[in-house]
Amino acid sequence: MSVKEWPVTERPREKLQLQGAQFLSDAELVAVLLGSGRQGQDVVTFSRKLLHHFNGIGPLLVASREQLLECEGIGPARVNQLQVVMELSRRYLKWQLERTDGFTEPSMVKDYLISKLRHHTRELFVLLLLDSQHRLLHYEELFQGTINAAPVYPREVIKLVMKYNAAAVILAHNHPSGVAEPSQADQRVTERVKKALSLIDVSLLDHFVIGAGAPISFAERGLL
């Protein structure tokens, strides 16, 4: 039976119009986005299998182009659809953080950093520069590669702080292995940057490590 033959209240598009997006399941939302299934499979069933393959909506949206194209029924056009959704989410979070004091809310910061870092297959070390109200001024990717292989030079951080006249800083990096537990190298880098920033009266608010599970906050761990 095709989706068109389903009861009206069970069809994703009609349900969206009648009840609103918040009442749709993950599979129904993906079904509305994709519009159609594949041969022999309705769009909702196809969406459920896609979510099962990636283990949820989050991993699906941060999946790389190559990972998506490996799935039967996903071509370049559908990859574009899924990646546009993720990019819209990133830009919305960035807009929220630029216009509000969102960086005082760890959950919002974590969501933003997950959207920026979790999908990378190489370690990426980034700097978030904030104003005196803790609004985002600038997001800077300092380097790719492990901290041990490419040390963070505090002077580079200071140069960026001065360039954007930042009042506070947040550090973040990802662990592509999936394990977010901070290493000794992570802690050493954090301490060096914190000391350097203190010389110009700029606060280091936190250092986040993004892995497969919940992000780790140095501030929450008492490591700052």
Side-chain angles (χ1 to χ4, degrees):
M1 182 184 294
S2 70
V3 173
K4 291 181 180 179
E5 299 175 80
W6 293 8
V8 173
T9 55
E10 295 181 14
R11 300 177 201 166
R13 287 182 179 176
E14 285 77 0
K15 188 175 176 181
L16 174 64
Q17 292 173 355
L18 292 170
Q19 301 181 41
Q22 68 270 32
F23 290 98
L24 272 62
S25 67
D26 289 351
E28 289 170 331
L29 288 170
V30 174
V32 172
L33 176 67
L34 298 180
S36 62
R38 47 180 293 235
Q39 189 172 8
Q41 202 167 77
D42 66 74
V43 66
V44 176
T45 301
F46 175 64
S47 298
R48 285 182 186 136
K49 290 191 173 182
L50 198 58
L51 288 166
H52 178 74
H53 175 79
F54 283 99
N55 197 30
I57 191 73
L60 170 63
L61 291 178
V62 299
S64 68
R65 192 173 190 86
E66 292 72 25
Q67 289 172 318
L68 290 168
L69 288 172
E70 288 175 359
C71 298
E72 194 170 353
I74 296 289
R78 284 185 164 172
V79 170
N80 291 341
Q81 285 176 290
L82 291 165
Q83 294 193 330
V84 160
V85 171
M86 192 64 225
E87 185 56 32
L88 284 171
S89 298
R90 291 191 186 104
R91 295 187 188 192
Y92 170 74
L93 286 167
K94 182 173 182 287
W95 173 73
Q96 282 284 74
L97 294 168
E98 286 173 337
R99 64 187 289 271
T100 68
D101 56 351
F103 277 94
T104 62
E105 300 179 29
S107 61
M108 189 181 290
V109 182
K110 289 175 183 178
D111 288 343
Y112 176 69
L113 290 171
I114 286 170
S115 74
K116 296 288 285 185
L117 295 174
R118 183 168 283 172
H119 64 287
H120 285 282
T121 56
R122 294 185 61 191
E123 191 166 311
L124 191 67
F125 193 93
V126 304
L127 186 70
L128 293 89
L129 301 163
L130 315 179
D131 67 11
S132 59
Q133 302 300 311
H134 293 171
R135 292 172 299 202
L136 181 64
L137 291 170
H138 183 68
Y139 172 94
E140 179 78 18
E141 296 181 355
L142 287 179
F143 68 82
Q144 287 192 356
T146 64
I147 285 177
N148 283 333
V152 179
Y153 294 105
R155 65 174 177 270
E156 298 300 322
V157 175
I158 299 299
K159 282 167 60 177
L160 286 165
V161 167
M162 301 301 287
K163 177 180 178 181
Y164 291 95
N165 195 27
V169 168
I170 290 177
L171 304 176
H173 73 283
N174 63 316
H175 283 179
S177 64
V179 180
E181 197 63 29
S183 67
Q184 289 187 348
D186 297 340
Q187 295 182 48
R188 286 195 298 270
V189 164
T190 305
E191 189 59 33
R192 288 172 59 209
V193 172
K194 181 181 177 181
K195 287 181 179 179
L197 290 173
S198 69
L199 297 175
I200 56 170
D201 200 27
V202 172
S203 301
L204 177 61
L205 298 183
D206 211 335
H207 183 169
F208 290 94
V209 185
I210 309 300
I216 299 299
S217 159
F218 273 53
E220 290 175 356
R221 286 279 187 93
L223 298 175
L224 280 181

